[in-house]
């Protein structure tokens, strides 16, 4: 398996995030909200979803396809299957851990981080604030059309593609320069790649590192895929339920 240099690892980790950020900035312009008949406050969400569909997925899947051709179909590594009981034990533990951090800890520290370090960030681009309180979204024009696409793209397809790309492709190729620190640097770069939510880096790193290290140690991306999809989907379904009940 061909190893990446440190520069290649950084580039391949961050490039897809730049693409998504550009889509968010572009489609947050008023003309696109009017074109799709959405409430103007949903423009960043629209840009995010279009960034996934037409930016992130083509870039990541395209790189996987290209690497597969260059490496005789062996682009995705860490495909060893763990014992069945490992999934029943590890996946629930990680899901609970993620929700403890994002639901209980994050609301306590992220307002301070945003006010102290990211007060310059335009509030309209922080669509995570909307998703943290779905009741705010209930009256927004077009939200009931947009939220199912959010579930499909951000909660199911997105995590699957990301895990294949970041853990199945990039992580195994970092050992050449990072050695046993590969899971740590993969975690840091994966967090930074979320350019649209830098205030979440601390929580995202704390949440992701144990999972990524487990994937590395067991050489099994299935664990990461299951946890990532389930966590995102539970959050998306909870938001959908609140919105539809209003």
């Amino acid at each position: 398996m061909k190893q990446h240099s440190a520069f290649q690892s950084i580039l391949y980790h961050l490039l897809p995030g730049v693409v998504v950020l550009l889509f968010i900035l572009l489609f947050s312009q008023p003309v696109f909200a009017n074109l799709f008949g959405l409430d103007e406050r949903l423009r960043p969400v629209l840009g995010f979803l279009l960034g996934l569909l037409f930016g992130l997925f083509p870039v990541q899947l395209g790189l996987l396809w290209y690497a597969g051709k260059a490496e005789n179909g062996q682009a995705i590594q860490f495909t060893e299957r763990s014992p069945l009981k490992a999934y029943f034990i590890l996946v629930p533990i990680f899901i609970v851990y993620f929700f403890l951090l994002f639901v209980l800890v994050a609301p306590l520290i992220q307002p301070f981080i945003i006010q102290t370090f990211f007060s310059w960030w335009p509030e309209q681009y922080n669509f995570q604030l909307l998703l943290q309180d779905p009741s705010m979204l209930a009256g927004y024009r077009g939200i009931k059309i947009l939220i199912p696409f959010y579930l499909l793209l951000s909660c199911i397809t997105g995590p699957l593609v990301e895990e294949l790309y970041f853990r199945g492709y990039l992580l195994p190729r970092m050992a050449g320069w990072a050695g046993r620190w590969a899971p740590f640097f993969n975690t840091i770069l994966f967090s930074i790649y979320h350019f649209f939510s830098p205030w979440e880096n601390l929580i995202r790193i704390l949440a992701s590192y144990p999972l990524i290290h487990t994937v590395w140690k067991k050489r099994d991306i299935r664990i990461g895929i299951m946890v990532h999809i389930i966590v995102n989907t539970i959050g998306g379904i909870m938001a959908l339920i609140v919105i539809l009940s209003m």
Side-chain angles (χ1 to χ4, degrees):
M1 177 178 56
K2 182 180 179 181
Q3 292 291 299
H4 291 156
S5 66
F7 175 77
Q8 286 176 312
S9 291
I10 294 171
L11 177 65
Y12 290 151
H13 274 82
L14 301 185
L15 177 61
V18 173
V19 174
V20 173
L21 180 62
L22 291 175
F23 268 83
I24 292 174
L25 297 177
L26 173 63
F27 285 93
S28 293
Q29 302 307 308
V31 61
F32 293 105
N34 297 333
L35 178 64
F36 289 93
L38 298 174
D39 189 293
E40 63 177 11
R41 290 165 291 190
L42 295 177
R43 295 186 321 226
V45 183
L46 172 66
F48 172 67
L49 295 179
L50 292 175
L52 294 180
L53 185 60
F54 297 110
L56 184 74
F57 298 162
V59 169
Q60 293 183 342
L61 292 177
L63 286 171
L64 287 176
W65 174 81
Y66 179 80
K69 289 192 65 178
E71 300 183 28
N72 297 318
Q74 300 299 316
I76 298 175
Q77 304 292 320
F78 288 1
T79 57
E80 296 181 13
R81 190 181 297 275
S82 300
L84 187 59
K85 66 178 182 180
Y87 302 117
F88 282 104
I89 295 173
L90 292 174
V91 172
I93 289 175
F94 282 123
I95 291 172
V96 171
Y97 177 65
F98 266 74
F99 274 94
L100 286 175
L101 285 178
F102 278 98
V103 177
L104 297 181
V105 178
L108 299 178
I109 66 174
Q110 282 183 183
F112 171 78
I113 294 175
I114 293 173
Q115 294 170 10
T116 305
F117 301 105
F118 298 102
S119 58
W120 52 270
W121 185 269
E123 186 174 346
Q124 64 267 27
Y125 293 133
N126 186 356
F127 58 85
Q128 285 87 357
L129 288 177
L130 298 177
L131 297 174
Q132 288 175 4
D133 185 5
S135 61
M136 296 173 56
L137 293 167
Y140 288 7
R141 185 176 67 255
I143 184 58
K144 292 184 178 180
I145 297 176
L146 206 58
I147 197 69
F149 288 100
Y150 181 85
L151 278 169
L152 176 63
L153 298 177
S154 181
C155 299
I156 300 175
T157 310
L160 173 61
V161 174
E162 285 182 333
E163 291 301 319
L164 292 175
Y165 181 74
F166 286 103
R167 255 62 75 184
Y169 175 56
L170 295 182
L171 177 58
R173 290 165 175 79
M174 299 175 70
W177 64 271
R180 64 188 179 90
W181 290 94
F184 174 76
F185 287 111
N186 182 262
T187 303
I188 299 296
L189 292 172
F190 174 70
S191 185
I192 295 174
Y193 132 92
H194 293 79
F195 289 111
F196 55 86
S197 58
W199 46 84
E200 288 189 330
N201 279 337
L202 177 59
I203 290 294
R204 193 159 40 231
I205 290 169
L206 291 175
S208 300
Y209 177 72
L211 176 61
I212 293 172
H213 187 271
T214 300
V215 171
W216 164 271
K217 185 176 181 180
K218 291 187 170 295
R219 304 179 64 85
D220 185 358
I221 60 173
R222 295 174 186 82
I223 298 171
I225 291 173
M226 286 188 282
V227 173
H228 202 163
I229 290 178
I230 292 172
V231 167
N232 282 28
T233 302
I234 290 175
I237 291 176
M238 291 172 62
L240 178 63
I241 291 172
V242 172
I243 291 168
L244 294 180
S245 65
M246 298 296 290

